[in-house]
Amino acid sequence: MTTSIQQPPAGAPDATAARAADHLWMHFARQGRHPETPIPVVTRGEGAYIWDNRGRKILDGLSGLFVVQVGHGRRELAEVAAKQAAELAYFPVWGYTTPVQAELAERVADLAPGDLNRVFFTTGGGEAVESAWKAAKQYFKLIGKPQKHKVISRAVAYHGTPHGALAITGLPAMKKDFEPLAPGGFRVPNTNLYRHPEFAEDPKAFGRWAADRIEEAILFEGADTVAAVFLEPVQNSGGCLTPPPGYFERVREICTRHDVLLVSDEVICAFGRHGATFACEKFGYTPDLITCAKGMSSGYGAIGAMIASEKVVEPFLRPGVAFPHGYTFGGHPVAAAVSLANLDLMEAEGLNQRVLENEAALGATLRKLLDLPIVGDVRGDGYFWAVELVKDKATRETFDAAGRERLVRGFLPGALFDNGLYCRPDDRGDVVVQVAPPLICGQAEFDEIEQVLRHTLTEAQSLV
């Protein structure tokens, strides 16, 4: 065993950072950090704020990772977790159940739209997407259409890291190190209206155009080979790409016409992020499958789910049929108990309605940043927004590779954190800063977010 960084004395502010630098393989992060730039260490959270190991108070403008709907430090949820762990910490759903697993399945099914009544538990969103593709493939085999296995998703969309989910993901740079992936993933244009200014005066026409590209892909590949279309209600990667008017209505028509399952990937969007338990209801469509995770437990337990309609479930209910797929910790009893309590808490505090009442104020506050030369667009819905950064506002020119390196991986993460805001600089599409505060936030927190962004982005302008 080797140590690459000299360990500070135990209890020193950077002791944890040093341990992490030597032994923790971080997710979506460069591992070879310079020892003079210690890894940020977050030690506790309360409400909409987190504190680091130097005692600094930082506004959590991303809900952890689009997760902590009810805020940090909710002791009532911690107490539920402790009670369930003492009573029955673990038992699988591999042909068995526990009271909390069955109750949560019923609760989620009751909250889901239409006849989406069957809940398959996972431990996270990528697993939920993986499960949905496998369910779609087997569904069509069971009903006598075994050639239907392909999946269509949107350019720049992120759907997870397992090999199947990664094949659905529309980010070539994220996939290249892991190829070859599962075959059958195909891409169509996304709904970034800012990058289609020709439709600026007629967003409904843009929605029709984008939806028609899905039908075009289905017909090009052959409708008898396409199993599913995976779409987020609001696309995360690329920066909170909202659906144009009529888009999902048209997509639903196309999927029904060609017997293709419509999957609403709501890993981020479900459980209040857009002011509804499931965002598909807000945007006016009923899918065949829903994938969800994150906000179900507000991060107080690791849990996700695939929710299936009666149509999809029917052939799996036939005698002798099984779904040969599962996860050891899917529907973990502690996470299930916490999720039930979290849903109770969200309902008691009226958080869905709170988001609906405040989303316009959050958007208006962030749009104040449009007076900065570096800000090209502000877009989003609910408590899920993106500020797109540009090199040239008049031409909408984005940054080259060197500029992205300076901004997204060099300056912005540390500067924002140091200035008191945790949020997400991202360049998987164009360069954006994403904001998704806990659902308990209001105007005071919105103003604080805007002020820190304004100060930090003003500093960033000298780098472009």
Side-chain angles (χ1 to χ4, degrees), residues 198-452:
E198 68 274 21
F199 288 106
E201 301 303 318
D202 194 351
K204 188 170 184 179
F206 179 51
R208 177 75 181 219
W209 174 87
D212 284 350
R213 301 290 72 74
I214 294 175
E215 183 167 43
E216 184 177 84
I218 291 171
L219 294 174
F220 182 79
E221 291 300 323
D224 59 341
T225 71
V226 179
V229 172
F230 278 70
L231 303 174
E232 298 164 277
V234 175
Q235 183 174 315
N236 168 34
S237 184
C240 299
L241 307 180
T242 56
Y247 175 76
F248 275 113
E249 179 182 3
R250 175 69 174 153
V251 171
R252 178 69 272 181
E253 291 173 359
I254 290 166
C255 289
T256 300
R257 180 182 308 121
H258 298 293
D259 195 17
V260 172
L261 300 181
L262 175 56
V263 184
S264 189
D265 183 357
E266 305 207 16
V267 171
I268 289 175
C269 295
F271 303 109
R273 183 57 50 190
H274 295 279
T277 302
F278 293 100
C280 57
E281 292 190 285
K282 182 176 185 179
F283 295 110
Y285 68 100
T286 302
D288 301 293
L289 292 162
I290 293 174
T291 55
C292 59
K294 295 186 184 287
M296 190 189 306
S297 70
S298 281
Y300 288 76
I303 194 165
M306 170 188 70
I307 313 168
S309 67
E310 294 290 348
K311 167 188 168 180
V312 173
V313 167
E314 187 279 326
F316 290 92
L317 301 179
R318 297 170 186 172
V321 175
F323 183 37
H325 175 67
Y327 300 99
T328 299
F329 295 111
H332 192 285
V334 175
V338 169
S339 295
L340 284 165
N342 176 63
L343 294 173
D344 287 341
L345 195 58
M346 291 184 67
E347 183 177 342
E349 297 184 0
L351 292 187
N352 282 354
Q353 186 59 36
R354 180 181 181 84
V355 170
L356 294 176
E357 291 172 355
N358 286 310
E359 62 179 342
L362 175 54
T365 303
L366 292 174
R367 287 192 182 101
K368 293 178 182 178
L369 298 167
L370 286 167
D371 66 351
L372 297 177
I374 197 174
V375 175
D377 192 30
V378 175
R379 55 182 178 261
D381 181 87
Y383 274 33
F384 187 34
W385 289 79
V387 178
E388 181 165 340
L389 309 182
V390 292
K391 184 175 181 179
D392 187 310
K393 195 162 187 166
T395 64
R396 308 189 183 191
E397 180 186 355
T398 190
F399 300 94
D400 60 16
R404 289 167 180 251
E405 183 69 21
R406 287 194 301 272
L407 277 174
V408 177
R409 279 163 290 279
F411 176 74
L412 284 174
L416 286 164
F417 202 78
D418 289 343
N419 290 334
L421 176 64
Y422 165 68
C423 57
R424 187 184 198 181
D426 187 24
D427 69 340
R428 290 175 296 175
D430 295 309
V431 177
V432 299
V433 177
Q434 286 186 296
V435 173
L439 310 189
I440 58 173
C441 290
Q443 190 61 52
E445 291 79 16
F446 302 163
D447 288 339
E448 186 174 349
I449 290 170
E450 191 271 339
Q451 289 161 14
V452 175

Side-chain angles (χ1 to χ4, degrees), residues 90-122:
Y90 174 74
F91 210 76
V93 290
W94 294 45
Y96 301 86
T97 192
T98 66
V100 288
Q101 291 162 337
E103 184 179 351
L104 181 60
E106 180 182 51
R107 179 77 168 274
V108 171
D110 287 345
L111 291 169
D115 66 349
L116 282 89
N117 294 323
R118 190 69 57 137
V119 181
F120 180 94
F121 285 120
T122 68

